[in-house]
């Protein structure tokens, strides 16, 4: 028994359905289900041969947009209204079980202050997910997200990172104001090839949904990579699909044919 | 300076440097000369007319001297005022812009006040090392917490020899890498293996 699992994954970190995106206007993929090959591989417990399942997430963005607060709300379900600047970097490890497979997110929280950039940027390497955060009530912080993304992408191999654009402090805006800012933000998201989310760490609105989405897409992506590398399922499921990555709506129909897995 | 002169004898006015003479000195001189002339006219009764003539000329010379001294002391005053104004201006400028005395440091340099208890004094490398150390300890804490959880929930029997050894590998080497021998590893090992290679007693 020790060979597989020691301390069990918390019950509220079990994912068996692909979580929905925030808005179809800017999302990394439209599919409502996990990739069929990934699902099938998980069911057959081929996953045991895939090696470690851990993805690195890096959170970047201007100071005081609430990067640390967002992570603390998700990982510790806590919110501290006092501002404390992050020194250099910090990290959290969040454990999930996705499609029955233990899976972990290593979430790196970076300092937004310019003076720490040289330290924090050393931690951008090997990121599978880049989250660029901005304050919904401060349009300048949105404009800076492009620079943050550029800096983070520079440290990584091209086309290896999934990008998310997150507007924070949703609770400080009225519905109308939020919609107005979201319209601007969506333009940025499309240009950055990022999936867009509006959240509030204070109220917790969309925070869990957002990180579940991050975890699920990162999990699916790394499973696909592993399958591709090992060539495991090539004989069982057509090899033609192995190279395909998410973001292709035409894939949807094909996947929907596959049986749905109930694990919860 | 001028006020002090009143205490001195009027005769000292004659001993002064010609360029330092003030109007008061000129008045002292006229006072002394006047007294001398009176003495002469008393003693030499027959020469009063000559003395009066000389007295007129001396008064005239003293008047000329008075005018000249007056003018030069005025311009001296002006120059002094100008000097004081400039001094004040220099003081104000040096106070307002502390960068004034950094001109030879170059644009990318900074001056540190050594008396400031909150002055920067640690290097970037030191901060990097502290952060790495902190990250390493945090990983160890998470491992320990997880292991404790296992004992608490009875997943690991207390008698079982189950030691997780950590090695001091840099925390930055976090790029996901495939791990061949994962079958033998516990979840704890798998959970943190991107941070460091772990050994487990079998």
């Amino acid at each position: 028994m020790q060979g597989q699992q020691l301390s069990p994954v918390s019950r509220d970190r079990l994912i068996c359905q692909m979580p929905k995106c925030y808005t179809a206007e800017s999302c990394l993929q439209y599919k409502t289900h996990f990739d069929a090959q990934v699902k099938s591989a998980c069911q057959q417990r081929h996953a045991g041969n895939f090696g470690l399942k851990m993805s690195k997430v890096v959170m970047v963005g201007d100071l005081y947009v609430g990067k640390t607060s967002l992570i603390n709300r998700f990982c510790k379900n806590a919110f501290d209204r006092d501002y404390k600047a992050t020194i250099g970097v910090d990290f959290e490890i969040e454990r999930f079980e996705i499609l029955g497979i233990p899976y972990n997110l290593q979430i790196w929280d970076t300092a937004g202050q310019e003076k720490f950039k040289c330290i924090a940027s050393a931690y951008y390497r090997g990121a599978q997910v880049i989250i660029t955060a901005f304050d919904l009530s401060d349009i300048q912080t949105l404009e800076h997200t492009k620079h943050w993304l550029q800096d983070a992408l520079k440290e990584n191999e091209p086309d290896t990172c999934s990008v998310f654009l997150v507007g924070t402090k949703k609770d400080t805006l009225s519905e109308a104001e939020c919609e107005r800012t979201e319209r601007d933000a969506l333009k940025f998201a499309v240009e950055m090839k990022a999936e867009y989310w509006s959240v509030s760490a204070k109220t917790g609105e969309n925070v869990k949904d957002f990180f579940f989405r991050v975890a699920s897409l990162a999990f699916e992506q790394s499973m696909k990579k592993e399958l591709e590398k090992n060539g495991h399922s090539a004989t069982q499921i057509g090899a033609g699909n192995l190279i395909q990555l998410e973001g292709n709506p035409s894939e949807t129909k094909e996947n929907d044919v596959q049986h749905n897995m109930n694990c919860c | 300076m001028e006020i002090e002169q009143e205490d001195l004898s009027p005769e000292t006015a004659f001993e002064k440097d010609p360029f330092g003479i003030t109007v008061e000195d000129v008045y002292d001189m006229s006072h002394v000369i006047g007294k001398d002339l009176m003495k002469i006219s008393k003693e030499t009764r027959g020469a009063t007319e000559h003395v009066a003539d000389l007295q007129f000329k001396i008064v005239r010379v003293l008047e000329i001297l008075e005018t000249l001294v007056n003018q030069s002391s005025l311009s001296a005053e002006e120059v002094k005022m100008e000097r004081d104004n400039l001094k004040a201006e220099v003081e104000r400028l040096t106070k307002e812009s502390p960068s004034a005395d950094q001109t030879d440091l170059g644009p990318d340099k900074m001056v540190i006040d050594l008396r400031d208890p909150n002055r920067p004094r640690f290097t970037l490398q030191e901060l990097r090392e502290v952060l790495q150390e902190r990250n390493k300890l945090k990983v160890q804490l998470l491992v320990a917490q997880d292991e404790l959880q296992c004992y608490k929930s009875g997943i690991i029997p207390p008698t079982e020899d189950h030691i997780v050894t950590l090695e001091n590998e840099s925390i930055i080497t976090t790029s996901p890498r495939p791990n061949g021998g994962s079958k033998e590893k516990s979840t704890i090992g798998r959970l943190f293996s991107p941070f460091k290679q772990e050994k487990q007693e079998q």
Side-chain angles (χ1 to χ4, degrees), chain B residues 120-136:
Chain B
R121 63 182 101 188
F122 303 113
T123 66
L124 186 62
Q125 191 50 39
E126 282 167 331
L127 179 57
R128 275 200 189 107
E129 281 163 20
V130 169
L131 281 171
Q132 280 177 17
E133 184 79 1
R134 199 270 318 260
N135 292 346
K136 212 164 70 187

Side-chain angles (χ1 to χ4, degrees), chain A residues 11-247:
Chain A
R11 288 192 64 81
D12 62 351
R13 291 291 183 259
L14 307 181
I15 301 175
C16 42
Q17 297 283 333
M18 174 59 85
K20 286 196 185 83
C21 60
Y22 179 76
T23 164
E25 286 170 73
S26 176
C27 68
L28 290 175
Q29 67 171 35
Y30 302 95
K31 284 185 299 173
T32 51
H33 302 292
F34 277 103
D35 178 89
Q37 293 147 32
V38 171
K39 248 194 223 173
S40 147
C42 291
Q43 261 184 329
Q44 292 164 43
R45 294 281 161 177
H46 278 165
N49 305 322
F50 292 151
L52 69 102
K53 269 157 287 301
M54 161 96 84
S55 291
K56 179 174 176 175
V57 177
V58 173
M59 177 96 80
V60 292
D62 279 3
L63 73 158
Y64 196 55
V65 299
K67 299 179 288 297
T68 306
S69 293
L70 184 53
I71 291 170
N72 283 346
R73 168 58 77 194
F74 181 64
C75 296
K76 301 169 184 167
N77 197 25
F79 180 78
D80 184 356
R81 67 174 56 241
D82 292 328
Y83 174 61
K84 210 172 124 234
T86 302
I87 294 178
V89 288
D90 198 356
F91 71 91
E92 294 294 336
I93 290 175
E94 199 56 39
R95 301 172 55 194
F96 295 87
E97 194 182 293
I98 304 180
L99 299 176
I101 309 291
Y103 180 73
N104 307 300
L105 279 190
Q106 199 185 92
I107 306 167
W108 286 88
D109 182 17
T110 65
Q113 285 182 316
E114 183 69 32
K115 62 177 176 182
F116 289 127
K117 245 186 180 175
C118 54
I119 289 181
S121 60
Y123 291 80
Y124 294 166
R125 239 184 310 154
Q128 198 184 325
V129 177
I130 298 167
I131 301 173
T132 48
F134 72 98
D135 180 348
L136 279 165
S137 65
D138 182 353
I139 203 76
Q140 280 231 300
T141 61
L142 171 63
E143 279 157 26
H144 295 156
T145 52
K146 275 186 189 168
H147 294 287
W148 284 107
L149 178 61
Q150 264 174 13
D151 289 347
L153 287 175
K154 227 166 34 195
E155 300 294 322
N156 288 286
E157 294 295 314
D159 301 320
T160 57
C161 304
S162 306
V163 181
F164 288 82
L165 178 65
V166 182
T168 60
K169 309 188 191 180
K170 191 172 188 287
D171 57 281
T172 63
L173 284 86
S174 68
E175 279 291 312
E177 285 172 323
C178 187
E179 272 173 36
R180 216 176 309 134
T181 311
E182 277 185 356
R183 242 174 284 144
D184 291 332
L186 281 169
K187 284 181 209 150
F188 274 77
V190 170
E191 275 181 59
M192 292 156 80
K193 296 190 177 69
E195 173 159 318
Y196 181 77
W197 282 77
S198 288
V199 300
S200 165
K202 192 177 171 187
T203 64
E205 187 182 356
N206 296 336
V207 173
K208 190 182 167 186
D209 293 342
F210 166 64
F211 278 105
F212 270 40
R213 178 82 176 163
V214 170
S216 301
L217 290 178
F219 172 79
E220 190 182 63
Q221 194 195 34
S222 49
M223 287 296 280
K224 277 182 175 177
K225 261 189 202 157
E226 287 294 324
L227 284 170
E228 195 182 324
K229 204 160 57 191
N230 296 350
H232 263 293
S233 47
T235 49
Q236 296 154 358
I237 309 165
N241 280 337
L242 285 174
I243 305 158
Q244 280 191 2
L245 289 175
E246 65 266 21

Side-chain angles (χ1 to χ4, degrees), chain B residues 11-115:
Chain B
E11 271 88 359
T12 51
F14 290 95
E15 289 152 26
K16 285 202 170 167
D17 174 25
F19 296 103
I21 284 172
T22 64
V23 203
E24 279 72 25
D25 294 327
V26 178
Y27 296 152
D28 283 347
M29 288 172 182
S30 358
H31 176 74
V32 173
I33 292 169
K35 269 201 318 197
D36 287 353
L37 284 173
M38 287 244 273
K39 233 189 277 174
I40 293 169
S41 51
K42 267 182 197 164
E43 283 163 18
T44 56
R45 287 193 178 274
T48 23
E49 207 174 306
H50 292 297
V51 172
D53 198 31
L54 183 63
Q55 192 173 1
F56 176 76
K57 284 176 185 152
I58 289 172
V59 168
R60 181 71 197 131
V61 169
L62 286 170
E63 275 174 359
I64 291 168
L65 189 59
E66 183 195 16
T67 315
L68 290 174
V69 167
N70 233 337
Q71 203 191 10
S72 82
S73 71
L74 267 177
S75 39
E77 200 65 27
E78 272 170 31
V79 169
K80 242 194 264 171
M81 268 169 63
E82 180 84 29
R83 184 200 60 189
D84 290 347
N85 283 344
L86 287 171
K87 250 192 202 168
E89 181 80 350
V90 167
E91 259 171 55
R92 192 180 59 80
L93 284 174
T94 43
K95 255 186 219 161
E96 264 178 22
S97 59
S99 57
D101 45 339
Q102 292 172 21
T103 37
D104 41 343
L105 277 176
D108 296 327
K109 301 270 185 356
M110 180 172 82
V111 167
I112 292 168
D113 183 358
L114 292 175
R115 289 160 301 180

